[in-house]
Each structure stands twice: as C-alpha cells, then as structure tokens.
Amino acid sequence: EAGVAQSPRYKIIEKRQSVAFWCNPISGHATLYWYQQILGQGPKLLIQFQNNGVVDDSQLPKDRFSAERLKGVDSTLKIQPAKLEDSAVYLCASSLWQGETQYFGPGTRLLVL
Amino acid sequence: KQEVTQIPAALSVPEGENLVLNCSFTDSAIYNLQWFRQDPGKGLTSLLLIQSSQREQTSGRLNASLDKSSGRSTLYIAASQPGDSATYLCAVSIIQGAQKLVFGQGTRLTINP
C-alpha cells in the first residue's frame, strides 16, 4: 500500500513570496490533515478535511494560508505572502475516518529568508 | 485548552538500558493517546495507541501506559538499541468540534553504542 505522498520535499523562498504544497493521501482515506511543525515543537493542526469539506480550520492563519481538497482526494496548502515565522515542516496526514490512526507523509521543509 | 508536555526534552543513554519517556496532559477528557516516532527528515510513525478505557498497550519492546485521571502516560523501551534513536512524540485525541490530535513537543532520544 502506497503511503502519503508530499511534494516538494524542500522549498526556499523569500519573505512576501507565495508557495504551495501538494499532498496525495492513501487511497480510500476520507480524512486529510495539514500540520505545521516548527523546529523543536510538536506538530500543530492547521486544517482537517473530511472528504472535500473542511471540518476544522481553527488554527489556520486565514489571512495568508489557504487549503483545498479537490474532489476529496489530493490537497494543496498555499501561503501568500510568506513570513519569516512560516519557516517550518509542513506535514500531511490521512486516515480512513476521523479518529482513526493517522498516517503521515515525509513533510515539506520550508525556509523563508 | 488541552496542553501536552513531554519530559525530558532530550535523553541520551547507553545501549541495552531500559528507559522511560514521560507525557502529561492537562485535560483528562481524551478519546485516546498515541505515541509516535519521528526520524530526522521524515514523517511520523504511530507506535502505540491507547484508548481512553485502556491502561496499557504493548508492542515488542515497547510498553505504553495511560493514567487518565492523573493526566499521565509513559512509554517504556526495554533493552534499547541504537536504532531506537529518534524523537518520540506523545499526542492526545480530543473532540473540539472535530476529533483531532494535540501533540507534545517531543523527547529526542539518543542510544549510544
């Protein structure tokens, strides 16, 4: 069974630029999550999708972050414009349903200069 | 607001020792608790999941306990090996609108040959 795929693996941008991350969850998983992990901290949930609907985006900085899940499968997370404090690893995870075991992708490491 | 704390932040022990990692959480209203492993540059791998009604779970050399009333969990690793070197994260599953994970900051474990 293929795992959660993410791209790109690394990205370096300058502040005020925009960036987008892509995630392909495990086939058949209805729930998809985006996390932000700042160095030395645990992951923080940014947004959770159930199929193609948002069920939780309470910690998503909506003035600069946006996310969508096209047709309830792939998802993209966008930052526009980026700030220095957005430097982090962005992890995507998926699960069969809410509350089930989450499977994580390798993450995208973002550095904002 | 649920907060998860892991102590110590880093731990270094010689190979072969048994060790205990600690996790505490502030609100006992949890759905379950999970321990994850994170290797450098990689995503998270779920090690053990303890339902709120359970006291412990075992997998190979790993044993996790849960005391919900006191807000504590421990991860016991027997006969440690260099391959166990990684960051270990504890996360509680809560229902806040949607069901979601709240992570601790992790314990970075180094096993010295």
Side-chain angles (χ1 to χ4, degrees), chain B residues 7-60:
Chain B
I7 296 173
L11 181 64
S12 180
V13 301
E15 181 179 1
E17 281 201 3
N18 303 324
L19 58 100
V20 174
L21 306 180
N22 296 294
C23 171
S24 61
F25 46 96
T26 55
D27 188 341
S28 61
I30 65 171
Y31 189 74
N32 60 48
L33 183 144
Q34 282 186 263
W35 283 93
F36 291 86
R37 169 184 174 139
Q38 186 172 31
D39 293 283
K42 297 187 179 180
L44 281 65
T45 302
S46 180
L47 298 173
L48 290 165
L49 185 152
I50 311 176
Q51 299 293 348
S52 62
S53 59
Q54 296 177 316
R55 297 285 290 182
E56 66 179 314
Q57 279 285 348
T58 298
S59 175

Side-chain angles (χ1 to χ4, degrees), chain A residues 13-18 81-84 112-113:
Chain A
I13 62 173
E14 295 189 351
K15 60 182 179 183
R16 292 188 289 273
Q17 287 187 323
S18 60
K83 293 185 175 181
L84 297 177
V112 182
L113 302 175

